[in-house]
Amino acid sequence: MDSRDNKVAPQGETVQILVEFLEVAITSIVFLKGIYPSGAFERRRYMNAVVQRARHPELQDYIHSTVSGLLPFIQKGLVERVAVIFFNGENIQVERFVFKLIVNQSYESKVENSDLEFALRSFLIKLSVTEPLTKTLPPDCKWEITAYFQTLPSSGTSKDAELWIPTDTKQWQQPPIITPIKSMNSQPLSLQLYLEHPSLSEPKPCE
């Protein structure tokens, strides 16, 4: 998980670095929320920052395979957002960490890996101190990774598309409360990370 060598990268490699970053960042979020014992993770260095890596094979595989499966769709500009969603025991969303991303498909100039990694490292550092902004999760909570596509990919044209199915997650009826965490706006990648919580006027399940 060490940082790449300092060299210029075409857009394709920019997407590869982004996908690797998302895997690390999502692991950091799950660690931050304390769903699993701390022993389920181990410390690593990535992009010259101290991060957490999942030790449990099933947890590690879920995060890795899910995020890696997004790579071809991010390259095509089909993915708008990637969210880590936490639910209570009644399968109601209580918190969402959202990565909103834009990859400029027509950008042809070279990008210094060191510049991109410096920008993404700031997200990892910021994530490590965001716990005060988050909500305490109930003991019976669960979580999932959800991707929001501009258009749903056809399962008949790609094996990767078969990994993704329309979600049956209940959506909030009111606009959520948004708390910005970090953002970057550059070429060819723009990225925002923010928290979403249900509005105070969100109807309760019994209503």
Side-chain angles (χ1 to χ4, degrees):
M1 297 182 70
D2 292 332
S3 177
R4 295 168 177 263
D5 295 332
N6 181 22
K7 60 183 179 180
V8 292
Q11 186 211 89
E13 189 171 1
T14 296
V15 174
Q16 178 65 50
I17 293 173
L18 171 62
V19 168
E20 292 177 359
F21 158 79
L22 287 174
E23 180 178 347
V24 175
I26 289 173
T27 304
S28 299
I29 290 170
V30 176
F31 173 80
L32 177 75
K33 297 305 299 179
I35 293 181
Y36 305 102
S38 58
F41 302 86
E42 58 186 0
R43 290 159 64 92
R44 286 286 189 269
R45 293 196 71 86
Y46 176 76
M47 293 184 177
N48 202 30
V50 177
V51 299
Q52 299 292 330
R53 178 178 180 269
R55 298 178 61 187
H56 194 284
E58 290 184 9
L59 175 60
Q60 183 182 19
D61 181 67
Y62 170 64
I63 297 174
H64 175 73
S65 61
T66 302
V67 178
S68 296
L70 286 173
L71 192 147
F73 306 114
I74 295 177
Q75 286 179 326
K76 296 175 183 176
L78 295 177
V79 179
E80 291 183 335
R81 290 169 291 155
V82 178
V84 183
I85 306 177
F86 296 91
F87 305 84
N88 61 19
E90 299 176 341
N91 208 34
I92 303 299
Q93 298 183 54
V94 295
E95 188 169 67
R96 292 194 295 231
F97 285 78
V98 182
F99 296 88
K100 184 177 181 180
L101 52 99
I102 299 175
V103 178
N104 187 343
Q105 301 299 304
S106 60
Y107 191 78
E108 297 180 352
S109 299
K110 300 296 183 181
V111 179
E112 287 284 351
N113 282 13
S114 58
D115 294 340
L116 179 59
E117 293 182 354
F118 180 82
L120 293 176
R121 182 170 68 242
S122 65
F123 282 77
L124 298 173
I125 295 173
K126 190 71 173 179
L127 259 178
S128 66
V129 295
T130 56
E131 187 174 6
L133 303 176
T134 69
K135 287 188 174 182
T136 301
L137 297 177
D140 56 350
C141 70
K142 58 183 180 178
W143 69 281
E144 69 179 21
I145 300 170
T146 297
Y148 297 86
F149 291 81
Q150 292 184 2
T151 57
L152 196 62
S154 171
S155 60
T157 58
S158 170
K159 289 184 177 180
D160 293 306
E162 296 176 358
L163 299 174
W164 295 91
I165 59 174
T167 180
D168 58 358
T169 298
K170 296 179 181 178
Q171 302 299 316
W172 292 322
Q173 298 181 34
Q174 301 294 326
I177 299 172
I178 297 176
T179 304
I181 295 177
K182 187 69 179 176
S183 66
M184 61 174 282
N185 189 9
S186 61
Q187 292 291 352
L189 173 65
S190 294
L191 181 66
Q192 297 178 36
L193 171 60
Y194 52 89
L195 269 170
E196 289 185 342
H197 293 117
S199 168
L200 296 177
S201 60
E202 181 70 23
K204 300 297 187 293
C206 59
E207 295 179 355

